[in-house]
Amino acid sequence: MDVVHYFFTKQLPKYFLNLPLPKTFAGFTELSTKEWMDLLPFFGFIVLFLMLLISQLFDSKQAPAADKAEEKEAKVNPSIDKEKEKVAHTFDIEDLGKKTVLCRCWRSKKFPYCDGSHKAHNNETGDNVGPVIITCPARDEASK
């Protein structure tokens, strides 16, 4: 801790006192190349500090909206049986035809059956979800 204390109480003030800062803005035009090189680390630090400060201010304003978007995306089911604790459907295998197409995107108006709503969902979100397709080849042979 002594090193840190020494740096902030002795070295840093000495550094600031030795900076070739002119008393007016017009004085910057009269600085030599060496004086500009001495000021370069100081101004670099100031610019970096301001950039970080400004980026944090803008990020903090956008964070709540981002959190809401993430919360919205976290919910898979937007509207189906929302009053129920859990959405579950039971199918009797005998009731299924030769081909049954079930929704996996939760956007179908005929849920649990697919109505093709996943196409609009995929275009909107960049997702690649599609239906579950259940086929029963034995039923094709039995109907012949």
Side-chain angles (χ1 to χ4, degrees):
M1 285 309 272
D2 288 339
V3 173
V4 174
H5 181 271
Y6 178 76
F7 176 76
F8 282 103
T9 59
K10 304 284 185 211
Q11 288 297 110
L12 202 55
K14 187 190 302 183
Y15 172 75
F16 286 130
L17 287 173
N18 290 330
L19 280 177
L21 291 171
K23 295 194 187 307
T24 65
F25 282 111
F28 281 104
T29 60
E30 298 169 4
L31 291 177
S32 69
T33 306
K34 184 198 178 310
E35 290 171 325
W36 274 109
M37 295 308 273
D38 290 341
L39 285 172
L40 194 61
F42 175 71
F43 284 131
F45 174 78
I46 297 297
V47 168
L48 181 64
F49 178 77
L50 289 174
M51 287 175 52
L52 290 172
L53 181 66
I54 290 169
S55 70
Q56 289 301 312
L57 289 174
F58 285 115
D59 285 345
S60 66
K61 289 179 184 175
Q62 294 174 356
D67 290 343
K68 287 180 184 175
E70 287 175 17
E71 184 179 312
K72 234 180 194 179
E73 287 179 23
K75 293 186 179 181
V76 175
N77 177 4
S79 62
I80 302 192
D81 294 335
K82 294 302 277 183
E83 68 281 355
K84 294 181 181 177
E85 183 180 346
K86 178 171 66 172
V87 179
H89 294 89
T90 304
F91 297 95
D92 186 346
I93 194 77
E94 298 299 323
D95 293 339
L96 299 178
K98 295 184 287 185
K99 179 178 176 183
T100 302
V101 183
L102 301 175
C103 176
R104 289 195 305 173
C105 72
W106 291 85
R107 275 45 179 193
S108 176
K109 302 288 186 247
K110 301 188 310 180
F111 192 85
Y113 299 101
C114 179
D115 68 358
S117 296
H118 60 273
K119 293 173 191 165
H121 167 75
N122 289 345
N123 288 338
E124 184 179 308
T125 63
D127 204 351
N128 65 347
V129 70
V132 173
I133 302 172
I134 301 170
T135 59
C136 186
R139 292 189 194 270
D140 287 337
E141 292 171 13
S143 64
K144 289 181 185 177

